[in-house]
Amino acid sequence: QVQLVESGGGSVQAGGSLRLSCAASGYRYASYCMGWFRQAPGMERDGVASITSVGIPIYADSVKGRFTLSKDNATATLYLQMDSLKPEDSSMYYCAAARDDCRAASWSDPGYFGYWGQGTQVTVS
């Protein structure tokens, strides 16, 4: 059974940093696409960043240069380092895992990802 457990959310002031973690189990972690999505109340779930099986990250334009996505295959953990946070980054952040590698047309499509964590809240004031 695939499990994704997020941690690291919290409240910070604008300009601050947070690091989200996603621990994966029951999943061929190193072989498939994994990513982070975020969803604010009443809004659609949007792709923030995804990483390919070989560790190439892909970012949404809104977070390029501020967020860094990485993964540790040895511990099956996905990380999202978020710097220079803005109030508009406030949202529930979800870790997601796909059943195939990332594709240009689908890395930010929630429907492409079959496994989800429970989410962790990020609030920037």
Side-chain angles (χ1 to χ4, degrees), residues 8-31:
S11 297
V12 295
Q13 291 188 335
S17 298
L18 283 173
R19 188 193 197 201
L20 305 184
S21 299
C22 172
S25 61
Y27 177 68
R28 291 177 60 184
Y29 177 85
S31 301

Side-chain angles (χ1 to χ4, degrees), residues 1-92:
Q1 181 177 355
V2 177
Q3 282 194 315
L4 303 174
V5 180
E6 302 103 331
S7 60
S11 297
V12 295
Q13 291 188 335
S17 298
L18 283 173
R19 188 193 197 201
L20 305 184
S21 299
C22 172
S25 61
Y27 177 68
R28 291 177 60 184
Y29 177 85
S31 301
Y32 301 133
C33 183
M34 293 194 71
W36 287 94
F37 288 74
R38 63 188 181 187
Q39 186 172 22
M43 305 295 286
E44 293 186 349
R45 189 168 293 191
D46 292 327
V48 175
S50 291
I51 193 163
T52 70
S53 62
V54 295
I56 300 173
I58 310 166
Y59 299 99
D61 288 344
S62 59
V63 306
K64 279 181 182 175
R66 300 188 299 120
F67 290 11
T68 304
L69 182 61
S70 62
K71 65 175 183 175
D72 184 338
N73 288 341
T75 61
T77 304
L78 186 70
Y79 299 102
L80 184 67
Q81 177 66 40
M82 304 186 296
D83 299 318
S84 302
L85 282 162
K86 304 175 181 179
E88 52 263 43
D89 294 317
S90 297
S91 193
M92 185 71 79

